[in-house]
Structures are given as structure tokens and as C-alpha cells.
Amino acid sequence: MNAPALLRWTASLTLGLLLIAPESMAQPEGFNYDESKVPDYSLPDPLLAEDGSKVTSADEWRLSRRPEVLRLFEDYVYGKTPIGRPEGMRWEVFESSEGAIGGLARRKQVRIFFSEDDNGPRMDLLLYTPSNAEGPVPTFLGLNFRGNHTVFPDPAIRLPEGGDDSVRGERRGRWPVDTIVSNGYGLATIWYHDIDPDVKDQWSDGVHPLAYAEGQSEPGSGEWGSIGAWAWGLSRALDYLETDDHVDGSRVIVMGHSRLGKTSLWSGAQDERFALVISNDSGCGGAALSRRRFGETVERINTSFPHWFTDRFKRFNGNEDELPVDQHMLISLIAPRPVLVCSAEEDLWADPRGEYLSAKHASPVYELLGTDGMASREMPGLNELISSTIGYHLRPGGHDVTDRDWEVFIEFANRHLGRSNSQ
Ligand code: GTR
């Protein structure tokens, strides 16, 4: 191996370890997993405006309180996303086929360039839609952890630069593409690393530099971290999907697991074009309430992953009660669109009960906007899908995305996006 190849190999190995290690975590010691030790806390009221007035109409929510809550999340949690769709953004469909997955699906691969520069940041979107669909279909959009070539053992999926052919399809268990298309849905996915590599303190790569002013080399105080960048990438993917004839751009479902579940919530909160939002095992900084300090805490996440959130989130390390928001307010930003929060029983690090409670406490906003909100006042049992506009599901097992999760995602999407469950 020559020196540059060795360097590349070492870099990809290090990156691989960085990416794998956190995903396969057990329950770290020294954190609270005991419900009786959850401290007393009181949640900020999503309907109580900063000036002390109570929001009592849908218009007041939309025109004044919603922008206020959104700003609080920008200022103190995820950071402000400093740019929208770049002017020079463009795409190129570099591969498409009618007969993918044994004839079940159409496959398309699209390179989305974020600027006019061919060597600037860009992402590759992989899209499967059902071959037998007569018109545009509702489509799941989700970032993947390990590269598009890992989601399905399809030899035509382009390897990312430096990608490893031997792991083709290794994440198939998390992406049951055949089931998804057989149920009448499309699936669009992107390697999250294309948007921003998940590496601490490396603000020179990914999309952050697109927003730098002259001389700037990292996001400013209160600006986006990596979750903000990944969420922005999802919106840019939607810009493309809205133009694709096989996709119904008004029925795109943004879904994500773990850190990418935090991302799907933040993306759905900011970009109201997403018709439905799903977070799977998203935990701290995702669906789980921070004030419960159950499993992963604000301090711990800011220490292990200082680049995920804005710098100001660190002010709340060990100081959750001072946060002007909690995560139920993130869910309330998605209202009145359907949102599904999924947890796994053994994934205590992500605090399943805290995820349920957050969904439940977003309900007043959903109800004010004329929906049924969260129908279940108590946390449901295992495998019992709550399919009100705010949905919740608790699956047996650990931190993962399984066939059962997809069964639930599809059932929930069928109910809320107008497909029948017998299809
Ligand atoms: C963990 C982190 C979680 C979750 C997970 C993942 O180590 O503590 O918040 O995001 O990584 O994304 O795999």
C-alpha cells in the first residue's frame, strides 16, 4: 500500500470506529435508570408566551408563539441554521433502472451538489419507488449511518469514495426496502456523512463552510452544529424529491434513528413541508425530556458529542431546569402534522418513558390546532401502537431499527397519509 492509500485506509478505519462505537453502546454506568430517582421537575408550558400571556388560538400559536419556540431551540439547543437552499444548488441523476430488487422497484441515484463547484460539498441520494405505482407515491426519507451501499445488497448502488464493497447490504435489517415498496411507499436515503462527517471539532468539512463569512472557520455562537447540518441536508433532499415524478412531494415522511432521530425531529420542526415525522430511539436531545435526567443526560451528550448541538446547549450541563424549553416543545413545533415517537424497551439510555411523556406533553398544542393530539394518557404496553396524530410505540428489545419498527411506521403512515392498511 502506498502512503496516500495507507493514509486513506487509516482515516476510514478511524472513522468507521467512530461511527460504530456509539451506535452499539450498552447502558453506561453511573447514570440513572431508576424511575424512583427521577427528580421532581416542572416542564415549561408550550402555550405560555415569553411575555407571560397564554396562547388561546391557533393563529396566536402560528404567528407568534411558534416562531418564539423555534427561536429558543435555535438559540439554546441545535443552533440557528444560517442558510437555506444555496443559489448554486443543482443535481444530476447519474443512474436509474426500472427493474431493481427483483423487479419490485425503480431505482434512481442522484448527486446533489450544494454549490456550483463540482468539488464542493455534495450528497448522493438513493431512491427506490414501487415499479407498479401508477402515480407519485408517499416516500420515507431517512439518513443512514454507514453509506447507501449498506442499506441493501444491490450491486448497482454506488460506493462512496473510499467505500468498502464487502459491507454492501450489511444494514439491510434496518432498511427493508422490499417491504417498503411492496406497501406502496418510496424510500430515499443518504449517508449522513456526505452532509457532515460526524467528527468532533472538524468544522472544515461537510456543509458548515458554505455559510462561513470571510475568515470564519467554525460556526459562531448560537449557530448550527452537526444535527443542524444533517437536518438542513434533509430539507435539500426534499427540494429534489419535490421535483421527482415518482415521488409525492406533499407526502414525504422524514424518519431517523438515534442521533438521526434527533435530526428527523429538528428537521420536521423547521421544515413544514415534511408531511409526517418519525423518531426512533432518539433519546436525549431527541424525543426524551431532558429534565428527567434518566439515562443519557445533557452534560453527558455535550461531552461525548460536543459538535452535535450549538455551543450554548452546554450552559445547561447539570442545569436542565434552566433550559427555556424541553423536548415536548420540539414535538409541538411539528403540530398539527402527524408525528410518531418510537422507543425500545431495553434502550434505557434513550429513556422510553421520557420519550412517551414528551409526546404526551406536546398534546395541548396539537389540540389547540384542532387535532386529537396524543390519545393515550398512560404509557401504552409493549407493541401497542397509539396512532392518534401524536403517535407512540414501545417495542421489545434494544437500540435498533427492526422489521417491527417498520411495520409500525407503515401502519402509522397508512393511517395519516391516506393509504388503507389493507394495501
Ligand atoms: C449514543 C448517544 C445517543 C445516540 C446514539 C447514536 O452514544 O449517546 O444519544 O444518539 O449514540 O446515535 O447512535
Side-chain angles (χ1 to χ4, degrees):
M1 208 184 288
N2 59 24
L6 185 69
L7 247 175
R8 271 203 307 277
W9 180 79
T10 321
S12 71
L13 190 74
T14 316
L15 184 68
L17 288 174
L18 268 170
L19 297 178
I20 301 167
E23 264 193 288
S24 52
M25 81 258 153
Q27 248 70 261
E29 280 176 35
F31 293 85
N32 178 36
Y33 303 107
D34 179 348
E35 199 53 43
S36 72
K37 299 207 172 104
V38 169
D40 284 339
Y41 61 90
S42 69
L43 291 177
D45 179 348
L47 292 175
L48 190 64
E50 278 179 322
D51 67 5
S53 64
K54 185 84 182 174
V55 173
T56 53
S57 75
D59 272 356
E60 275 176 82
W61 168 258
R62 280 198 198 98
L63 301 173
S64 118
R65 180 61 176 155
R66 185 180 188 283
E68 200 168 85
V69 174
L70 189 61
R71 185 180 43 73
L72 291 171
F73 276 100
E74 290 174 347
D75 285 350
Y76 298 111
V77 184
Y78 305 104
K80 190 172 172 55
T81 305
I83 49 170
R85 175 177 171 161
E87 258 182 39
M89 185 173 124
R90 66 217 148 86
W91 46 75
E92 183 194 310
V93 177
F94 62 82
E95 192 274 338
S96 72
S97 154
E98 293 289 318
I101 314 193
L104 279 180
R106 295 190 172 103
R107 182 188 55 241
K108 225 181 254 184
Q109 299 185 73
V110 187
R111 178 156 285 183
I112 300 175
F113 297 89
F114 296 124
S115 69
E116 269 145 22
D117 178 3
D118 279 357
N119 299 313
R122 58 184 196 210
M123 62 184 181
D124 285 350
L125 179 140
L126 167 67
L127 172 66
Y128 290 105
T129 49
S131 316
N132 60 3
E134 307 219 318
V137 293
T139 295
F140 288 93
L141 167 64
L143 299 176
N144 66 72
F145 278 95
R146 309 265 288 143
N148 292 351
H149 62 304
T150 64
V151 306
F152 207 76
D154 176 345
I157 302 175
R158 187 190 265 186
L159 285 183
E161 230 161 274
D164 173 3
D165 205 35
S166 71
V167 297
R168 205 174 266 289
E170 70 161 18
R171 283 299 168 90
R172 180 187 185 153
R174 286 189 176 186
W175 300 98
V177 186
D178 34 5
T179 309
I180 297 169
V181 294
S182 304
N183 277 277
Y185 288 87
L187 173 70
T189 186
I190 299 152
W191 186 25
Y192 81 140
H193 182 280
D194 274 0
I195 305 165
D196 185 35
D198 195 355
V199 191
K200 283 183 205 178
D201 301 329
Q202 280 197 15
W203 302 110
S204 55
D205 48 17
V207 299
H208 291 100
L210 287 172
Y212 290 162
E214 190 73 26
Q216 192 179 351
S217 57
E218 58 180 68
S221 181
E223 283 188 345
W224 56 350
S226 293
I227 291 177
W230 299 323
W232 178 88
L234 287 165
S235 288
R236 303 294 68 83
L238 181 54
D239 295 339
Y240 165 74
L241 292 173
E242 286 186 320
T243 69
D244 190 296
D245 290 345
H246 299 302
V247 172
D248 180 347
S250 68
R251 289 189 293 169
V252 174
I253 304 152
V254 62
M255 69 73 58
H257 168 65
S258 205
R259 74 198 68 179
L260 300 177
K262 310 180 206 300
T263 303
S264 61
L265 291 170
W266 180 227
S267 188
Q270 293 175 98
D271 190 336
E272 296 186 89
R273 294 174 299 165
F274 287 112
L276 194 159
V277 181
I278 300 177
S279 87
N280 194 66
D281 306 350
S282 60
C284 181
L289 291 175
S290 302
R291 280 168 172 73
R292 279 171 48 84
R293 300 162 181 90
F294 187 104
E296 189 170 28
T297 59
V298 169
E299 177 165 12
R300 165 66 185 230
I301 205 165
N302 275 329
T303 309
S304 324
F305 306 103
H307 58 299
W308 283 0
F309 300 87
T310 192
D311 59 336
R312 295 183 191 154
F313 193 41
K314 297 184 181 62
R315 293 183 195 167
F316 304 97
N317 288 352
N319 191 23
E320 288 84 348
D321 293 312
E322 294 305 313
L323 261 166
V325 290
D326 210 319
Q327 297 305 107
H328 62 307
M329 291 163 75
L330 177 66
I331 295 176
S332 75
L333 288 173
I334 298 165
R337 291 162 295 150
V339 58
L340 173 64
V341 173
C342 291
S343 312
E345 187 190 19
E346 291 164 22
D347 186 14
L348 298 181
W349 186 237
D351 186 13
R353 173 167 288 276
E355 296 186 316
Y356 161 74
L357 288 172
S358 183
K360 171 176 154 175
H361 291 298
S363 199
V365 176
Y366 273 80
E367 288 162 38
L368 182 70
L369 299 188
T371 78
D372 56 350
M374 156 66 80
S376 170
R377 296 286 119 189
E378 297 301 325
M379 186 162 170
L382 283 176
N383 285 322
E384 244 177 79
L385 171 63
I386 304 302
S387 60
S388 42
T389 309
I390 304 178
Y392 180 81
H393 183 259
L394 178 66
R395 158 180 69 67
H399 190 73
D400 201 355
V401 192
T402 67
D403 286 350
R404 172 64 188 154
D405 291 318
W406 276 100
E407 203 176 286
V408 166
F409 302 166
I410 290 171
E411 186 178 333
F412 190 79
N414 285 349
R415 182 172 305 262
H416 292 282
L417 296 183
R419 298 187 63 84
S420 104
N421 272 313
S422 57
Q423 259 173 324

